């Protein structure tokens, strides 16, 4: 395999990985917070209660 082909493949892989990371960050940022259906965040007290109920 020639060095120019290796360089091109490596750069293409870096571009694909960076695009995927940026897409996931943007997608997560847009969905954070509470919407019209209420907040999906769970408080530590609720987590403790759930763990006790599972036993």
């Amino acid at each position: 395999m020639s060095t120019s082909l290796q360089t091109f493949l490596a750069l293409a892989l870096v571009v694909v990985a960076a695009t995927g990371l940026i897409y996931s960050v943007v997608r997560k940022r847009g969905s954070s917070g509470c919407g019209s259906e209420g907040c999906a965040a769970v408080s530590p007290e609720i987590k403790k209660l759930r763990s006790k109920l599972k036993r």
Side-chain angles (χ1 to χ4, degrees), residues 15-36:
V15 167
V16 168
T19 303
L21 288 173
I22 290 171
Y23 176 75
S24 68
V25 166
V26 168
R27 196 177 81 204
K28 286 181 183 178
R29 185 175 294 170
S31 66
S32 65
C34 299
S36 62

Side-chain angles (χ1 to χ4, degrees), residues 3-54:
T3 57
S4 61
L5 179 61
Q6 285 180 349
T7 303
F8 175 77
L9 291 176
L11 288 175
L13 184 64
V14 168
V15 167
V16 168
T19 303
L21 288 173
I22 290 171
Y23 176 75
S24 68
V25 166
V26 168
R27 196 177 81 204
K28 286 181 183 178
R29 185 175 294 170
S31 66
S32 65
C34 299
S36 62
E37 298 175 10
C39 195
V42 179
S43 68
E45 292 84 13
I46 299 297
K47 287 181 183 179
K48 287 179 185 178
L49 179 61
R50 283 185 181 172
S51 67
K52 286 181 183 179
L53 291 175
K54 285 183 182 179

